[in-house]
Amino acid sequence: MDRLPSTAFDGPTSDDITYQIGLIWDQIKAPLIVPSLRLMVFICLAMSVMLFIEKVYMAIVIVLVKLFGRKPENRYKWEPIKDDIEIGNSSYPMVLVQIPMYNEREVYQLSIGAACGLSWPSDRIIVQVLDDSTDLTIKSLVEMECQRWASKGINIKYEIRDNRRGYKAGALKEGMKHSYVKQCDYVAILDADFQPEPDFLWRTVPFLLHNPDIGLVQARWNFVNSDECLMTRMQEMSLDYHFKVEQEVGSSTYAFFGFNGTAGVWRIAALNEAGGWKDRTTVEDMDLAVRASLKGWKFVYIGDLKVKNELPSTFKAYRYQQHRWSCGPANLFRKMVMEILKNKKFHVITSWKKFHVIYSFFFVRKIVAHVVTFVFYCVVMPATVLVPEVGIPKWGSVYIPSIITLLNSVGTLRSLHLMVFWILFENVMALHRTKATFIGLLEAGRVNEWVVTEKLGDALKAKAAAKVPKKPKLRIGERLHLLELLVGAYLFFCACYDFAFGKNHYFIYLYLQAIAFFIMGFGYIGTFVPNS
């Protein structure tokens, strides 16, 4: 039977809809899409060059530091504190050790035990536990642990507040108000999962004692659970670069770097002169460091002094941590950029140091690095597959990214074989870092969100090992992450289009990156701890 001719009453066919979409696309592509995409490519290439120059510069500096042996002991006066028979322990400065914590059931014993085990004259040290716990059971356990150490002769103070105003910054600020703090010269800050070696104070305090212009001594983090899963290995690669290169370069060249919030010792006079702790951002540690630097205080980083701590091993905890670490610096940059520019203490902070803090420390590392990683490699580059009129030069799509990646890898040589996984992982996390960066710059809704990073500790691992493993019942909402899935779908579509019609062979990278987004979108990364 012959097919009847279509009439005006027939519905649109799929061919008609495809034709209409294609027609609309052709009409807007030349005047709108192509120029806009070219502009985005130009901006992304410019940011890539900025990041490339920064990485090469730091690589050159770190090589020179290693070649010429510019260790802190060679740049500043350092000698062990000697006993004085006449005045006894009074030759040792009084040190306050602060441990802020919040519902730290799994690690509170480790941190308190490590602080109480520090080798220092017992009458010249005060351990201060700042407990903001809202769980009454945990609060009781922490108090009992403090009483146990007090019964052994340790000068330990258990301090609580009736609110959590200011979160960690608020707790540290309140801790400094107690009368016994006035007799202290220095304050060591240790987060609840940090376990310093007994000689921690012996190696840090002499820098402060013999160099009156030094305000902060920062130690390096050493991750006890880096081999727990692939996600912790990826974190180790990123953080090792930060500690082995970024902090070392800042300390060696400008005597300035961002305080890491823990595993550091402050001169209390420097802390007070800088204005003390402020809770205006979620990076109170960086805020204090910048303000102290503007007052002329110098910082020292000791790369070979390692303090054990724990990496977040659940994807949920890591996402919250990265939001805070990305949103806070961007928001602090917004708040402090004019204050830095207007600083008139030329004898204290030079124009070159101002440039370093504003451009290198804040703009390139805290903003450009996040934005270009996600926008360029996960949005703009895939979009050029759909718009072949816009091309990306090979130096921008291959050479510069490859060199940056290789320079980043020097921090953790043992994980070189995981380089491809690390690249894909970092690109996925750049989605959250970029979002958090814009939230900080615009002071949007979640700008002051503070979620304490969950620690699993050894207790939970031992408990899990003792039990017969059971297959957990998973809730879709616990694992599903919509943003990752949407970006993964976009990349997968671009990969398929490039495979069918493209000439750049981007589809190899796009398929791999799409898979990475899907894996993390469905939550199959990190340690999964089901709700009890």
Side-chain angles (χ1 to χ4, degrees):
M1 183 176 179
D2 294 337
R3 183 178 183 273
L4 294 174
S6 60
T7 66
F9 298 101
D10 292 335
T13 66
S14 60
D15 289 341
D16 293 333
I17 295 173
T18 303
Y19 175 76
Q20 291 294 331
I21 293 174
L23 190 63
I24 294 171
W25 173 254
D26 289 337
Q27 288 177 342
I28 66 172
K29 186 166 72 170
L32 180 63
I33 302 297
V34 172
S36 300
L37 191 55
R38 281 180 177 152
L39 177 62
M40 289 299 296
V41 168
F42 175 79
I43 293 172
C44 288
L45 288 175
M47 289 193 293
S48 293
V49 171
M50 290 180 192
L51 189 59
F52 172 75
I53 293 172
E54 178 72 9
K55 296 292 182 182
V56 171
Y57 161 73
M58 286 195 291
I60 293 171
V61 172
I62 205 68
V63 168
L64 294 175
V65 167
K66 299 300 180 184
L67 285 176
F68 292 100
R70 284 179 58 82
K71 291 185 176 181
E73 294 85 351
N74 299 331
R75 290 183 285 118
Y76 299 98
K77 184 179 179 182
W78 188 97
E79 59 183 38
I81 302 173
K82 297 177 182 178
D83 294 328
D84 191 314
I85 299 175
E86 294 183 359
I87 62 175
N89 288 340
S90 297
S91 60
Y92 292 84
M94 196 76 180
V95 178
L96 175 71
V97 180
Q98 289 185 313
I99 311 174
M101 57 176 59
Y102 171 74
N103 293 341
E104 306 286 1
R105 179 189 293 272
E106 308 301 340
V107 294
Y108 74 92
Q109 286 180 309
L110 296 174
S111 58
I112 293 175
C116 292
L118 289 171
S119 176
W120 200 255
S122 59
D123 59 337
R124 307 300 293 171
I125 184 172
I126 302 173
V127 177
Q128 185 187 65
V129 177
L130 304 169
D131 189 13
D132 272 0
S133 298
T134 53
D135 187 312
L136 296 180
T137 302
I138 298 175
K139 183 174 284 191
S140 176
L141 290 171
V142 174
E143 186 175 11
M144 288 173 59
E145 183 69 8
C146 292
Q147 291 173 353
R148 187 173 74 84
W149 282 102
S151 67
K152 295 182 179 182
I154 301 297
N155 188 1
I156 185 169
K157 309 289 185 181
Y158 177 71
E159 307 290 358
I160 59 173
R161 302 188 290 165
D162 57 2
N163 62 75
R164 286 194 68 215
R165 190 177 299 114
Y167 303 106
K168 179 181 174 181
L172 293 170
K173 186 175 182 179
E174 284 297 315
M176 297 300 294
K177 292 180 180 179
H178 295 281
S179 58
Y180 55 82
V181 175
K182 294 179 182 178
Q183 59 184 301
C184 298
D185 304 293
Y186 311 121
V187 54
I189 300 166
L190 301 168
D191 279 355
D193 59 316
F194 277 71
Q195 305 161 55
E197 295 297 327
D199 66 347
F200 176 75
L201 294 179
W202 290 101
R203 298 185 62 184
T204 53
V205 170
F207 282 105
L208 296 161
L209 185 64
H210 300 304
N211 302 275
D213 56 344
I214 292 178
L216 165 68
V217 180
Q218 172 73 59
R220 180 179 151 194
W221 296 4
N222 185 35
F223 314 110
V224 297
N225 65 329
S226 58
D227 291 326
E228 185 172 328
C229 59
L230 184 61
M231 191 182 79
T232 53
R233 288 290 291 272
M234 303 297 100
Q235 292 178 64
E236 181 190 37
M237 293 178 72
S238 300
L239 287 170
D240 273 355
Y241 178 82
H242 168 69
F243 283 104
K244 291 183 179 181
V245 178
E246 290 180 343
Q247 297 293 75
E248 194 74 69
V249 168
S251 177
S252 302
T253 53
Y254 306 98
F256 167 78
F257 48 81
F259 174 44
N260 294 120
T262 178
V265 184
W266 276 93
R267 186 187 300 274
I268 292 179
L271 193 153
N272 291 335
E273 187 183 352
W277 295 103
K278 294 185 179 181
D279 59 0
R280 55 181 177 172
T281 71
T282 57
V283 283
E284 72 293 324
D285 44 11
M286 187 182 295
D287 187 352
L288 176 61
V290 174
R291 285 184 280 114
S293 178
L294 292 178
K295 295 292 184 180
W297 291 100
K298 295 179 180 180
F299 305 157
V300 175
Y301 173 69
I302 310 176
D304 58 359
L305 176 58
K306 302 175 184 179
V307 179
K308 293 186 291 186
N309 71 295
E310 183 180 324
L311 291 164
S313 52
T314 66
F315 188 41
K316 178 181 178 182
Y318 186 56
R319 282 179 53 167
Y320 277 126
Q321 183 201 67
Q322 292 303 296
H323 173 85
R324 190 171 77 245
W325 285 6
S326 302
C327 179
N331 190 234
L332 183 63
F333 175 68
R334 170 190 170 117
K335 284 179 163 66
M336 290 206 70
V337 61
M338 294 309 298
E339 183 180 341
I340 297 169
L341 285 171
K342 291 178 180 178
N343 186 287
K344 295 180 180 180
K345 294 186 177 182
F346 296 109
H347 63 288
V348 171
I349 177 169
T350 63
S351 298
W352 181 247
K353 190 171 183 179
K354 284 184 182 182
F355 175 79
H356 166 71
V357 174
I358 293 174
Y359 174 78
S360 179
F361 179 77
F362 273 117
F363 186 64
V364 176
R365 296 187 208 169
K366 311 301 181 187
I367 297 174
V368 167
H370 302 326
V371 174
V372 73
T373 302
F374 174 68
V375 174
F376 190 29
Y377 303 117
C378 299
V379 178
V380 173
M381 189 180 289
T384 61
V385 168
L386 308 176
V387 187
E389 293 90 342
V390 180
I392 300 176
K394 189 165 287 187
W395 61 264
S397 62
V398 178
Y399 302 142
I400 281 184
S402 299
I403 294 172
I404 290 175
T405 301
L406 289 172
L407 292 176
N408 275 328
S409 68
V410 299
T412 317
L413 295 176
R414 79 183 186 101
S415 297
L416 274 177
H417 62 290
L418 300 174
M419 184 61 64
V420 172
F421 297 102
W422 178 76
I423 293 169
L424 300 175
F425 174 78
E426 283 293 294
N427 287 351
V428 177
M429 290 310 303
L431 163 64
H432 296 285
R433 293 170 184 147
T434 299
K435 183 180 71 170
T437 296
F438 282 110
I439 288 173
L441 287 173
L442 301 174
E443 284 200 319
R446 293 176 59 197
V447 66
N448 290 317
E449 180 183 63
W450 181 283
V451 178
V452 174
T453 304
E454 178 189 24
K455 296 102 179 174
L456 299 185
D458 295 329
L460 189 61
K461 296 170 192 173
K463 202 182 299 178
K467 291 182 178 179
V468 178
K470 294 181 180 179
K471 191 174 181 180
K473 295 179 181 179
L474 306 181
R475 298 176 185 174
I476 294 178
E478 290 177 358
R479 278 193 176 273
L480 216 57
H481 305 290
L482 188 59
L483 276 177
E484 284 92 337
L485 294 176
L486 289 174
V487 177
Y490 164 71
L491 291 169
F492 187 78
F493 171 75
C494 292
C496 293
Y497 188 91
D498 189 49
F499 180 76
F501 307 108
K503 298 178 181 179
N504 293 322
H505 301 294
Y506 285 165
F507 66 87
I508 300 172
Y509 156 72
L510 294 175
Y511 275 130
L512 290 173
Q513 191 64 70
I515 292 170
F517 270 97
F518 285 137
I519 289 172
M520 296 172 75
F522 284 111
Y524 286 98
I525 188 167
T527 301
F528 181 70
V529 182
N531 292 332
S532 55

